[in-house]
Amino acid sequence: MGERLKFAFYWAATCGGCDVAILDLAERILEVIEIAEIVFWPIAMDFKYKDLEAIGEGGIDVAFYDGSVRNSEHEHLAKVLRERSKVLIAFGTCACYGGIPGLANISDRDEIFKVVYRETPSTVNPQLTAPTTCIKIDDVTLTLPEFHDFVKPLNRVVDVDYYIPGCPPPIELIWEAIERIRINKLPPKGSVIGPRYSLCEVCKRKRDERIKIKHVRRVYEGRPDPELCFLDQGYICLGPATRAGCAGGEGGRCLNVNMPCRGCTGPPGGIKDQGARMISALASVMDLEIPPEKLKEMFKDPLGTFYRFTLPSSILSRRVIKK
Ligand code: SF4
Ligand code: SF4
C-alpha cells in the first residue's frame, strides 16, 4: 500500500447527520481507512483544535466540512481547514447552501436571543441572562464563540473546491467522491459531486401533463397514490427544482417511501435559486382560475416550503432588518 492520504472532518452548525452518513458507509469505511488516515474528526475521535493547528499549510489532502457557518468558531475553523487542506469539500446541504439552520436568516441575533432566552413558554430567566463572548469569574476568564447575525454557507467564508449536497449526503454520492479521490479523478474545481439533472428525470411515478392543481394538500391530509406524481395529486414535491442522486438512479429516497421531495440536495446544475425555480415550475401546473388570495392561503409556509434548505445561498439570502 502506498502512502495514505490525510483526511479531516469537521462539523459546524449541523445536526450531526452528515457525520453519521459517513458511518453509514458501514464496512466500506474500512476501504476509506485503507486509502486515508483521518487526522482530525472531533465528533468521532479525541482530537483537539491544537492538533489541527499543529498541521502545516497543505498538510491535509481532503477536508470535509459539514454544517453552516453560524458563529465565530465555525468561521475560524473554516479558515484553518482551508489553509491546511489541498482540497476543501462542502459536505452536506448546510455547508453547501446554508441548510435548515439558514431558515433563521429571517431573524438576526437580537431577535433570536430575545425569543430563546426571554420569551419561550419554558424559559425561566428573571435576570435576563443571555450568552456573552467573555465573562470573568474570579480569576478565570471564560469565552464563548460569537453568535453571528446570519447563517452563511461555507463558500461565503472561504474558497470551496467541491460540493456534496444532501441532508445528509447520500451514501452513493459520498462513495462517488471517495472513489474519485482514490483514483485522482476529481471533476473541475467548483463542481457538485452528483448528477446535474433534476429528480423528476429519474422519478418513476406517472405524470399527466394535462392535470392542473386545484388544491394544495399537506402530507397529513391524505394518503398519496404511490404510482402517481405527487404534484398531480396536489402534494408539493420539489422534484422539478432538486438535484437527483439521493437514491442513485432509483427515484428518490423520500419518493420511494411515498413522501414528496422537500428539496434537500439543493438545485440542479445551472439553477441559482431553488425556491424561485420551484415557484416557476408550480406556475405552469397550477389552475389559473385560483384567485391570488386563495393561492396565498394554500401555501401555509412558503419560506419553509421553497427555501427549507437553501435560503442563505438564494437570491433572497436573508431578511433585511432595519434598526
Ligand atoms: S414532481 Fe415529484 S413525484 Fe412528480 S415527477 Fe417530479 S419527482 Fe416525481
Ligand atoms: S427525495 Fe428529495 S428530500 Fe428526499 S432525500 Fe431525495 S432530495 Fe432529499
Side-chain angles (χ1 to χ4, degrees):
M1 190 173 68
E3 200 176 321
R4 288 194 298 168
L5 298 167
K6 290 189 168 48
F7 281 4
F9 299 92
Y10 174 68
W11 69 336
T14 169
C15 65
C18 295
D19 294 83
V20 174
I22 296 164
L23 298 178
D24 280 346
L25 289 172
E27 65 274 10
R28 278 191 283 184
I29 196 109
L30 298 175
E31 292 177 52
V32 176
I33 305 292
E34 257 180 40
I35 63 160
E37 175 193 356
I38 295 173
V39 295
F40 186 69
W41 193 6
I43 184 181
M45 301 176 200
D46 185 18
F47 288 108
K48 306 288 186 241
Y49 289 165
K50 63 178 167 49
D51 299 324
L52 177 62
E53 278 151 9
I55 298 173
E57 206 172 297
I60 297 168
D61 292 294
V62 186
F64 298 80
Y65 185 108
D66 66 84
S68 47
V69 180
R70 169 82 273 185
N71 66 33
S72 56
E73 183 183 32
H74 303 151
E75 183 158 345
H76 173 66
L77 264 289
K79 289 176 180 164
V80 172
L81 279 166
R82 177 64 282 183
E83 269 171 24
R84 284 152 178 77
S85 308
K86 293 182 189 124
V87 172
L88 177 64
I89 298 180
F91 184 63
T93 286
C94 295
C96 294
Y97 306 113
I100 288 177
L103 283 174
N105 281 7
I106 53 163
S107 307
D108 63 3
R109 175 180 42 209
D110 290 347
E111 276 190 10
I112 293 170
F113 278 19
K114 187 161 144 269
V115 172
V116 173
Y117 294 103
R118 296 186 187 193
E119 293 179 352
T120 65
S122 58
T123 299
V124 179
N125 183 9
Q127 289 165 331
L128 305 180
T129 306
T132 55
T133 51
C134 184
I135 187 166
K136 230 176 156 29
I137 301 172
D138 299 329
D139 290 342
V140 182
T141 304
L142 300 173
T143 59
L144 273 180
E146 186 179 0
F147 191 90
H148 288 167
D149 260 338
F150 299 104
V151 168
K152 295 178 198 157
L154 184 60
N155 64 7
R156 295 271 164 94
V157 175
V158 291
D159 188 34
V160 171
D161 297 306
Y162 298 103
Y163 300 82
I164 307 179
C167 184
I171 307 300
E172 293 84 356
L173 298 189
I174 301 176
W175 194 245
E176 182 183 336
I178 301 282
E179 272 296 290
R180 283 175 175 274
I181 292 165
R182 189 178 67 81
I183 59 175
N184 199 14
K185 277 234 157 97
L186 281 161
K189 181 178 156 79
S191 298
V192 175
I193 309 282
R196 280 181 63 79
Y197 45 82
S198 79
L199 197 55
C200 288
E201 305 272 329
V202 285
C203 179
K204 299 184 175 9
R205 289 169 180 255
K206 287 187 210 87
R207 295 204 62 188
D208 183 343
E209 309 280 337
R210 294 163 305 175
I211 291 181
K212 293 288 174 200
I213 304 175
K214 289 189 185 330
H215 305 283
V216 169
R217 290 201 278 177
R218 306 182 93 186
V219 277
Y220 69 86
E221 289 176 316
R223 196 176 173 78
D225 184 322
E227 304 291 324
L228 304 180
C229 168
F230 281 109
L231 281 178
D232 287 353
Q233 302 177 66
Y235 297 97
I236 300 306
C237 175
L238 264 73
T242 301
R243 187 180 293 271
C246 62
E250 295 303 309
R253 275 194 296 196
C254 301
L255 308 176
N256 294 349
V257 293
N258 208 19
M259 286 291 286
C261 170
R262 280 121 197 263
C264 87
T265 49
I271 303 298
K272 190 168 167 44
D273 191 303
Q274 186 181 31
R277 171 66 165 208
M278 188 61 210
I279 292 166
S280 151
L282 272 177
S284 57
V285 293
M286 294 298 296
D287 185 335
L288 296 175
E289 303 294 312
I290 305 172
E293 310 74 52
K294 182 96 194 301
L295 207 54
K296 234 167 102 188
E297 258 174 46
M298 282 183 182
F299 290 91
K300 304 284 182 224
D301 176 16
L303 199 70
T305 303
F306 301 120
Y307 291 98
R308 184 188 305 244
F309 296 98
T310 57
L311 180 60
S313 62
S314 72
I315 296 164
L316 301 173
S317 173
R318 63 185 172 87
R319 190 173 131 217
V320 176
I321 296 172
K322 294 202 175 113
K323 297 204 173 160

